[in-house]
Amino acid sequence: MTLQLRAPRSGDSVEPAGFAPQFVAEADGDVVGCAKNVWWDEADGTRLHLLLGWIAPRHRGRGHGRELLAWQEDRARLEAIGTSCFGVNVDHESVRRLAVAAGYGIAFTRIRMTVELDEPGTVELPAGVEVRPAGPADHRAVFNGNAAAFKGSSSGYRQDTFEEFAQDVADDFPDHRLWTLGWEGDRLVGWVVSGAADTPWVGVVADWRRRGLASALLRMNHAALWRHGVRRTGLWTVAENRTGSVALYERAGYRVTERQPRYRKGV
């Protein structure tokens, strides 16, 4: 191995990597890059080992990226259990070529979709469902709904704890006037949770799917956003999603504005 790995030190000049490194890579005493390995367990039971690496531009083209990635994989194997896979973030063509050469392929593609909001009209909900004002008392129901709706997802979904969910809500989506929750009696059957610029959670319980509820709740949510001065909103979904989320959002006026292929390979 031509690279030597050590702990980061002040003055390493690795800020352009965009992450806080665990290790700094040197060659002949010169800092050439850095690395970080993180892992988590996803909703379908997969342990994902995300391998973050960076090589300084003036040191590229010398094989350091291949060497660093191989070292990261070897280290991650020590923590691999059950169904595990490696993942890399591909942010430019040279990284894509490196990943493909190392055996990685596209597992799924995250896509950003946005919509320009129009002045809202009347929205009719399916019979048996009503929308009520949302509040903190509804957090547990939304959390449980997300957990059930995305359980077993093979597209990178990670189930947070309720405490993590509640903190995300408090930090980023605290305005309950921008939430649209559909109830069948005392049961939450559909939900659209939004902030002023982003919609992180859209879901419908299994027995209410393909009955027009998701579309109606989205339109009602757009009306709430409009009333509070929002004129453009967006969300993330997965292009390969088998629930038909992309088609649903396209019917609601959303268009794809960004793609993030997720490259993975088995351990």
Side-chain angles (χ1 to χ4, degrees), residues 3-4 12 14 24-34 54-60 62 64 68:
L3 295 178
Q4 290 78 48
D12 279 332
V14 293
V24 169
E26 290 184 337
D28 298 324
D30 193 12
V31 172
V32 301
C34 60
W54 174 80
I55 301 296
R58 64 192 181 90
H59 289 287
R60 293 173 186 170
R62 305 177 188 178
H64 294 318
L68 185 60

Side-chain angles (χ1 to χ4, degrees), residues 10-56:
S10 177
D12 279 332
S13 299
V14 293
E15 292 82 3
F19 58 85
Q22 287 176 303
F23 305 96
V24 169
E26 290 184 337
D28 298 324
D30 193 12
V31 172
V32 301
C34 60
K36 181 177 184 178
N37 286 14
V38 295
W39 64 263
W40 59 80
D41 294 326
E42 296 183 339
D44 67 346
T46 298
R47 174 162 292 189
L48 187 282
H49 298 266
L50 180 62
L51 312 180
L52 302 173
W54 174 80
I55 301 296

Side-chain angles (χ1 to χ4, degrees), residues 24-239:
V24 169
E26 290 184 337
D28 298 324
D30 193 12
V31 172
V32 301
C34 60
K36 181 177 184 178
N37 286 14
V38 295
W39 64 263
W40 59 80
D41 294 326
E42 296 183 339
D44 67 346
T46 298
R47 174 162 292 189
L48 187 282
H49 298 266
L50 180 62
L51 312 180
L52 302 173
W54 174 80
I55 301 296
R58 64 192 181 90
H59 289 287
R60 293 173 186 170
R62 305 177 188 178
H64 294 318
R66 292 191 300 273
E67 188 176 2
L68 185 60
L69 179 59
W71 180 86
Q72 289 182 269
E73 289 180 351
D74 286 343
R75 184 178 180 85
R77 286 188 183 95
L78 301 176
E79 297 177 317
I81 62 171
T83 302
S84 295
C85 67
F86 301 133
V88 295
N89 288 344
V90 172
D91 53 6
H92 50 77
E93 178 60 20
S94 63
V95 177
R96 189 195 70 79
R97 292 196 300 267
L98 171 66
V100 170
Y104 290 76
I106 297 176
F108 58 90
T109 306
R110 292 183 74 235
I111 56 175
R112 174 76 173 169
M113 303 184 75
T114 59
V115 61
E116 304 292 334
L117 301 181
D118 296 323
E119 189 169 358
T122 302
V123 180
E124 184 174 346
L125 285 168
V129 177
E130 65 173 335
V131 168
R132 307 169 191 160
D138 300 317
H139 290 182
R140 177 64 72 173
V142 174
F143 172 80
N144 290 341
N146 281 334
F150 299 112
K151 182 180 181 181
S153 170
S154 60
S155 299
Y157 182 76
R158 178 186 179 188
Q159 180 59 56
D160 291 338
T161 65
F162 177 70
E163 290 72 23
E164 290 170 328
F165 170 84
Q167 191 60 58
D168 283 347
V169 167
D171 291 343
D172 299 322
F173 310 102
D175 190 347
H176 293 95
R177 298 173 302 173
L178 306 183
W179 295 31
T180 305
L181 307 184
W183 298 87
E184 180 187 38
D186 293 331
R187 183 171 72 125
L188 181 68
V189 294
W191 55 96
V192 182
V193 175
S194 288
D198 192 54
T199 298
W201 298 294
V202 179
V204 172
V205 298
D207 58 306
W208 270 97
R209 291 173 188 164
R210 305 190 185 284
R211 297 169 65 179
L213 178 58
S215 295
L217 292 176
L218 272 174
R219 292 196 300 274
M220 293 191 74
N221 183 256
H222 290 173
L225 292 171
W226 174 274
R227 288 194 299 271
H228 290 89
V230 178
R231 296 297 179 263
R232 187 172 190 265
T233 190
L235 49 76
W236 289 94
T237 189
V238 174

